[in-house]
Amino acid sequence: MEPGKILEIAEMGNPVLRERAREVEDIHDPGVQNFIDDLIATGISANGVGIAAPQVDVPKRIFIISSRPNIRYPDAPLMEPEAVINPEIISCSDEMVKDWEGCLSIPGLRGLVPRHTSVRVKYVSRDGRVEERQFTDFIARIFQHEYDHLNGVLFLDRIESNRDIITDREYMKLLRRESE
Ligand code: ZN
């Protein structure tokens, strides 16, 4: 895999984050494949556990899940970065749970966001295979967060109360207290 280049991240206020992204028609197009490498490199360099194409000003239905423990998410499970193209959520659990999320496009803030604990999903991988998978817990949460980006939805839209929003600094203090 070619190492990708680092792209500029669009932040809240940029209209691209509020659009519905368009389906990818030719996954094998070298431009699309190179873009996926760039998106992976950009997400990793920003310590993200996921990143969606609209976050780098490209309104296409592509996102990356790249969970790994890092300074922003010390307890994240480790996985190879995976490209998710033209995803659909087929079904989701009735059970929902609130947990902390951040977003590379909303620097400095964290929020307690209610999400389904598991989702059954369908998408196309970067080599053009149709995947049908079940994700639970943290990966299900990333999937729902990134999927929202393709529809112009940000995590702050899903928060139940302003009291569930805190700053990154206070979040880091909270983590330290929890690990004591
Ligand atoms: Zn985000």
Side-chain angles (χ1 to χ4, degrees):
M1 193 168 73
E2 290 291 305
K5 59 178 188 296
I6 311 296
L7 307 172
E8 187 181 327
I9 293 177
E11 294 183 356
M12 188 166 63
N14 189 318
V16 72
L17 295 172
R18 293 310 198 171
E19 282 177 39
R20 184 188 184 277
R22 291 180 301 272
E23 273 71 23
V24 180
E25 277 165 18
D26 184 6
I27 287 156
H28 302 289
D29 181 317
V32 170
Q33 292 292 326
N34 288 338
F35 172 69
I36 290 171
D37 289 334
D38 295 347
L39 199 53
I40 290 172
T42 304
I44 288 173
S45 99
N47 287 319
V49 290
I51 186 169
Q55 292 185 272
V56 294
D57 210 2
V58 174
K60 287 195 165 98
R61 301 187 82 75
I62 304 179
F63 62 75
I64 308 297
I65 296 180
S66 60
S67 174
R68 54 170 64 192
N70 65 41
I71 187 162
R72 291 180 70 241
Y73 295 94
D75 302 320
L78 178 64
M79 66 180 281
E80 278 300 306
E82 185 163 342
V84 171
I85 303 160
N86 297 339
E88 288 167 58
I89 295 181
I90 300 167
S91 63
C92 38
S93 61
D94 291 335
E95 191 193 359
M96 297 187 79
V97 66
K98 282 211 272 188
D99 207 347
W100 294 107
E101 290 183 23
C103 180
L104 298 175
S105 297
I106 310 174
L109 294 182
R110 301 279 178 145
L112 268 182
V113 186
R115 299 285 186 191
H116 301 282
T117 51
S118 83
V119 285
R120 173 160 285 281
V121 300
K122 196 169 154 183
Y123 58 93
V124 182
S125 67
R126 71 180 300 174
D127 49 13
R129 268 177 301 128
V130 177
E131 303 275 357
E132 194 174 321
R133 308 262 300 266
Q134 177 96 21
F135 291 120
T136 55
D137 303 323
F138 190 65
I139 306 291
R141 176 169 295 278
I142 300 173
F143 197 99
Q144 291 167 83
H145 177 117
E146 302 310 331
Y147 182 82
D148 272 352
H149 275 302
L150 305 185
N151 296 325
V153 175
L154 299 173
F155 83 81
L156 289 177
D157 303 335
R158 298 208 178 268
I159 279 186
E160 290 170 348
S161 156
N162 285 337
R163 290 170 188 244
D164 287 342
I165 304 172
I166 67 175
T167 67
D168 248 335
R169 266 180 65 196
E170 292 296 334
Y171 175 73
M172 291 303 167
K173 284 193 228 167
L174 199 70
L175 279 188
R176 275 201 295 275
R177 282 201 297 274
E178 278 173 0
S179 66
E180 270 164 20

